[in-house]
Amino acid sequence: MISAFQPFSPSAFCLLLLVGCSPSLDEAKQALQQRITSQSQGHIKLVSFRKTALQEFQVKDAQGRRLSYAAEVEFVHRGIWSGWMGEGTIRFDYSPTDRSEQGTTSEIIGDLWGKRQMYEGDRIKIAGVMAGTNSTSGWRYDLAEIRLAGN
């Protein structure tokens, strides 16, 4: 019988470390960064990313997880962000522009259509959920939901 107070052997300690450590979430961060870069054509960048909840599960032989996260993005150039409003997932479509629509009828109408004037250095907080599956090549994440968080 092994007592809880007996010292671990080095090999048992290493096994405990491997089993107890959660896998890297770099793939999840990279999936979000790729979506942002692709949709904004590089005009919006991911500046922070953190896990808020993680549920792991197994279906037959496949490992899966549901990852909730909080992140912050920054607008690299002044422009019009379209896709910030509405139900469900926001988008990162962005058109750089030097014109200012602040305070104009055009800005109000743009807001109604989901377009917002953003300025270089503006930041917004987002939150979302990803579904992850594990394979021999690592974790693959699909972005299920992205929404505005409290700003």
Side-chain angles (χ1 to χ4, degrees):
M1 176 179 203
I2 298 176
S3 166
F5 298 102
Q6 286 180 330
F8 286 111
S9 70
S11 59
F13 183 73
C14 290
L15 178 62
L16 183 63
L17 282 177
L18 288 174
V19 171
C21 292
S22 63
S24 169
L25 297 176
D26 289 342
E27 293 94 341
K29 181 179 177 181
Q30 184 178 15
L32 180 59
Q33 179 62 61
Q34 286 174 344
R35 167 79 58 91
I36 292 167
T37 300
S38 171
Q39 289 181 353
S40 74
Q41 299 176 358
H43 299 290
I44 303 172
K45 66 180 180 179
L46 181 64
V47 293
S48 70
F49 179 89
R50 69 180 174 83
K51 171 188 74 171
T52 58
L54 181 66
Q55 299 170 328
E56 294 188 326
F57 55 89
Q58 181 122 4
V59 178
K60 295 192 180 184
D61 292 337
Q63 279 186 296
R65 59 171 53 154
R66 176 183 158 91
L67 169 69
S68 299
Y69 64 89
E72 188 171 27
V73 298
E74 181 177 6
F75 295 83
V76 179
H77 302 102
R78 181 174 164 166
I80 305 296
W81 176 31
S82 52
W84 69 272
M85 190 177 92
E87 297 294 321
T89 298
I90 62 172
R91 294 187 47 80
F92 297 97
D93 299 331
Y94 197 74
S95 301
T97 180
D98 287 334
R99 65 188 166 107
S100 175
E101 296 179 351
Q102 189 170 9
T104 65
T105 304
S106 178
E107 180 184 27
I108 294 167
I109 292 170
D111 278 354
L112 292 173
W113 287 99
K115 296 180 180 181
R116 178 180 280 180
Q117 176 75 50
M118 303 304 288
Y119 297 90
E120 181 179 340
D122 282 353
R123 291 183 174 201
I124 60 163
K125 295 178 182 175
I126 60 174
V129 175
M130 296 183 194
T133 53
N134 196 5
S135 69
T136 55
S137 59
W139 284 93
R140 180 181 178 277
Y141 287 92
D142 295 312
L143 289 99
E145 174 188 327
I146 307 171
R147 66 186 185 289
L148 290 176
N151 283 307

